[in-house]
mmCIF file of all heavy atoms in Angstrom:
data_model
loop_
_atom_site.group_PDB
_atom_site.id
_atom_site.type_symbol
_atom_site.label_atom_id
_atom_site.label_comp_id
_atom_site.label_asym_id
_atom_site.label_seq_id
_atom_site.Cartn_x
_atom_site.Cartn_y
_atom_site.Cartn_z
ATOM 1 N N ASP A 97 61.887 50.929 108.514
ATOM 2 C CA ASP A 97 61.779 52.026 109.455
ATOM 3 C C ASP A 97 62.066 53.288 108.705
ATOM 4 O O ASP A 97 63.222 53.502 108.159
ATOM 5 C CB ASP A 97 62.741 51.790 110.599
ATOM 6 C CG ASP A 97 62.693 52.843 111.663
ATOM 7 O OD1 ASP A 97 61.585 53.291 111.851
ATOM 8 O OD2 ASP A 97 63.750 53.110 112.276
ATOM 9 N N ALA A 98 61.130 54.204 108.596
ATOM 10 C CA ALA A 98 61.228 55.446 107.896
ATOM 11 C C ALA A 98 61.120 56.642 108.826
ATOM 12 O O ALA A 98 60.046 56.713 109.568
ATOM 13 C CB ALA A 98 60.184 55.567 106.760
ATOM 14 N N LYS A 99 62.048 57.655 108.813
ATOM 15 C CA LYS A 99 62.075 58.735 109.651
ATOM 16 C C LYS A 99 62.101 59.981 108.802
ATOM 17 O O LYS A 99 62.938 60.082 107.816
ATOM 18 C CB LYS A 99 63.206 58.705 110.564
ATOM 19 C CG LYS A 99 63.210 57.467 111.512
ATOM 20 C CD LYS A 99 64.319 57.545 112.486
ATOM 21 C CE LYS A 99 64.462 56.333 113.356
ATOM 22 N NZ LYS A 99 63.209 56.079 114.166
ATOM 23 N N ALA A 100 61.396 61.021 109.133
ATOM 24 C CA ALA A 100 61.396 62.278 108.470
ATOM 25 C C ALA A 100 62.699 63.005 108.730
ATOM 26 O O ALA A 100 63.113 63.011 109.935
ATOM 27 C CB ALA A 100 60.151 63.117 108.797
ATOM 28 N N VAL A 101 63.254 63.597 107.725
ATOM 29 C CA VAL A 101 64.439 64.467 107.869
ATOM 30 C C VAL A 101 64.133 65.712 107.005
ATOM 31 O O VAL A 101 63.056 65.804 106.374
ATOM 32 C CB VAL A 101 65.747 63.839 107.395
ATOM 33 C CG1 VAL A 101 66.111 62.573 108.200
ATOM 34 C CG2 VAL A 101 65.635 63.488 105.882
ATOM 35 N N ASP A 102 64.982 66.698 107.170
ATOM 36 C CA ASP A 102 64.730 67.960 106.449
ATOM 37 C C ASP A 102 64.634 67.709 105.018
ATOM 38 O O ASP A 102 65.527 67.252 104.345
ATOM 39 C CB ASP A 102 65.948 68.903 106.719
ATOM 40 C CG ASP A 102 65.450 70.372 106.920
ATOM 41 O OD1 ASP A 102 64.268 70.530 107.023
ATOM 42 O OD2 ASP A 102 66.274 71.306 107.095
ATOM 43 N N GLY A 103 63.453 68.013 104.424
ATOM 44 C CA GLY A 103 63.248 67.874 102.946
ATOM 45 C C GLY A 103 62.940 66.467 102.475
ATOM 46 O O GLY A 103 62.766 66.266 101.239
ATOM 47 N N GLY A 104 62.833 65.538 103.394
ATOM 48 C CA GLY A 104 62.563 64.164 102.923
ATOM 49 C C GLY A 104 62.561 63.164 104.013
ATOM 50 O O GLY A 104 61.910 63.420 105.060
ATOM 51 N N ALA A 105 63.243 62.019 103.813
ATOM 52 C CA ALA A 105 63.207 60.999 104.819
ATOM 53 C C ALA A 105 64.497 60.132 104.739
ATOM 54 O O ALA A 105 65.127 60.054 103.641
ATOM 55 C CB ALA A 105 61.950 60.080 104.601
ATOM 56 N N SER A 106 64.740 59.427 105.848
ATOM 57 C CA SER A 106 65.763 58.493 105.869
ATOM 58 C C SER A 106 65.196 57.143 106.252
ATOM 59 O O SER A 106 64.422 56.979 107.185
ATOM 60 C CB SER A 106 66.841 58.887 106.959
ATOM 61 O OG SER A 106 67.918 57.989 106.989
ATOM 62 N N VAL A 107 65.534 56.066 105.526
ATOM 63 C CA VAL A 107 64.888 54.784 105.554
ATOM 64 C C VAL A 107 65.903 53.697 105.811
ATOM 65 O O VAL A 107 66.876 53.661 105.091
ATOM 66 C CB VAL A 107 64.048 54.399 104.420
ATOM 67 C CG1 VAL A 107 63.246 53.144 104.511
ATOM 68 C CG2 VAL A 107 63.053 55.589 104.116
ATOM 69 N N ASP A 108 65.727 52.870 106.815
ATOM 70 C CA ASP A 108 66.457 51.613 106.931
ATOM 71 C C ASP A 108 65.835 50.539 106.010
ATOM 72 O O ASP A 108 64.696 50.151 106.237
ATOM 73 C CB ASP A 108 66.476 51.052 108.391
ATOM 74 C CG ASP A 108 67.350 49.917 108.569
ATOM 75 O OD1 ASP A 108 67.570 49.146 107.650
ATOM 76 O OD2 ASP A 108 67.890 49.658 109.692
ATOM 77 N N MET A 109 66.528 50.224 104.948
ATOM 78 C CA MET A 109 65.986 49.345 103.868
ATOM 79 C C MET A 109 66.184 47.891 104.126
ATOM 80 O O MET A 109 65.861 47.062 103.312
ATOM 81 C CB MET A 109 66.541 49.770 102.497
ATOM 82 C CG MET A 109 66.084 51.158 102.088
ATOM 83 S SD MET A 109 64.360 51.380 101.679
ATOM 84 C CE MET A 109 64.257 50.223 100.232
ATOM 85 N N GLY A 110 66.746 47.583 105.263
ATOM 86 C CA GLY A 110 67.057 46.176 105.608
ATOM 87 C C GLY A 110 68.403 45.730 104.959
ATOM 88 O O GLY A 110 69.145 46.494 104.406
ATOM 89 N N ALA A 111 68.711 44.458 105.237
ATOM 90 C CA ALA A 111 69.995 43.940 104.752
ATOM 91 C C ALA A 111 69.836 43.427 103.258
ATOM 92 O O ALA A 111 68.763 42.753 102.994
ATOM 93 C CB ALA A 111 70.395 42.742 105.673
ATOM 94 N N PRO A 112 70.764 43.617 102.438
ATOM 95 C CA PRO A 112 70.826 43.106 101.064
ATOM 96 C C PRO A 112 71.064 41.542 101.101
ATOM 97 O O PRO A 112 71.659 40.979 102.044
ATOM 98 C CB PRO A 112 71.974 43.781 100.446
ATOM 99 C CG PRO A 112 72.936 44.100 101.552
ATOM 100 C CD PRO A 112 72.151 44.361 102.711
ATOM 101 N N ARG A 113 70.644 40.918 99.974
ATOM 102 C CA ARG A 113 70.889 39.502 99.877
ATOM 103 C C ARG A 113 71.614 39.221 98.590
ATOM 104 O O ARG A 113 71.380 39.881 97.624
ATOM 105 C CB ARG A 113 69.603 38.697 99.952
ATOM 106 C CG ARG A 113 68.926 38.860 101.319
ATOM 107 C CD ARG A 113 67.852 37.793 101.566
ATOM 108 N NE ARG A 113 68.348 36.488 101.487
ATOM 109 C CZ ARG A 113 67.595 35.377 101.550
ATOM 110 N NH1 ARG A 113 66.274 35.540 101.597
ATOM 111 N NH2 ARG A 113 68.132 34.178 101.397
ATOM 112 N N PHE A 114 72.525 38.216 98.597
ATOM 113 C CA PHE A 114 73.379 37.960 97.456
ATOM 114 C C PHE A 114 73.296 36.559 96.914
ATOM 115 O O PHE A 114 73.877 36.161 95.891
ATOM 116 C CB PHE A 114 74.768 38.299 97.830
ATOM 117 C CG PHE A 114 74.980 39.631 98.449
ATOM 118 C CD1 PHE A 114 75.350 39.727 99.756
ATOM 119 C CD2 PHE A 114 74.767 40.771 97.768
ATOM 120 C CE1 PHE A 114 75.520 40.960 100.386
ATOM 121 C CE2 PHE A 114 74.953 41.976 98.375
ATOM 122 C CZ PHE A 114 75.289 42.128 99.691
ATOM 123 N N GLU A 115 72.558 35.621 97.641
ATOM 124 C CA GLU A 115 72.493 34.279 97.191
ATOM 125 C C GLU A 115 71.678 34.257 95.762
ATOM 126 O O GLU A 115 70.766 34.914 95.610
ATOM 127 C CB GLU A 115 71.700 33.405 98.188
ATOM 128 C CG GLU A 115 72.262 33.450 99.604
ATOM 129 C CD GLU A 115 71.624 34.583 100.395
ATOM 130 O OE1 GLU A 115 71.000 35.517 99.830
ATOM 131 O OE2 GLU A 115 71.756 34.577 101.668
ATOM 132 N N TRP A 116 72.150 33.314 94.897
ATOM 133 C CA TRP A 116 71.587 33.314 93.539
ATOM 134 C C TRP A 116 70.125 33.092 93.635
ATOM 135 O O TRP A 116 69.300 33.662 92.791
ATOM 136 C CB TRP A 116 72.252 32.260 92.723
ATOM 137 C CG TRP A 116 71.965 30.798 93.189
ATOM 138 C CD1 TRP A 116 72.625 30.102 94.084
ATOM 139 C CD2 TRP A 116 70.899 29.962 92.616
ATOM 140 N NE1 TRP A 116 72.038 28.814 94.128
ATOM 141 C CE2 TRP A 116 70.969 28.770 93.314
ATOM 142 C CE3 TRP A 116 69.919 30.185 91.716
ATOM 143 C CZ2 TRP A 116 70.085 27.742 93.086
ATOM 144 C CZ3 TRP A 116 68.988 29.106 91.467
ATOM 145 C CH2 TRP A 116 69.122 27.955 92.156
ATOM 146 N N ASP A 117 69.608 32.198 94.548
ATOM 147 C CA ASP A 117 68.166 31.923 94.640
ATOM 148 C C ASP A 117 67.356 32.975 95.345
ATOM 149 O O ASP A 117 66.169 32.875 95.436
ATOM 150 C CB ASP A 117 67.946 30.515 95.216
ATOM 151 C CG ASP A 117 68.653 30.356 96.560
ATOM 152 O OD1 ASP A 117 69.455 31.152 96.980
ATOM 153 O OD2 ASP A 117 68.287 29.358 97.316
#
Side-chain angles (χ1 to χ4, degrees):
D97 183 31
K99 301 182 183 301
V101 299
D102 223 6
S106 182
V107 181
D108 185 333
M109 295 293 292
R113 298 195 61 186
F114 310 111
E115 306 91 344
W116 70 271
D117 53 347

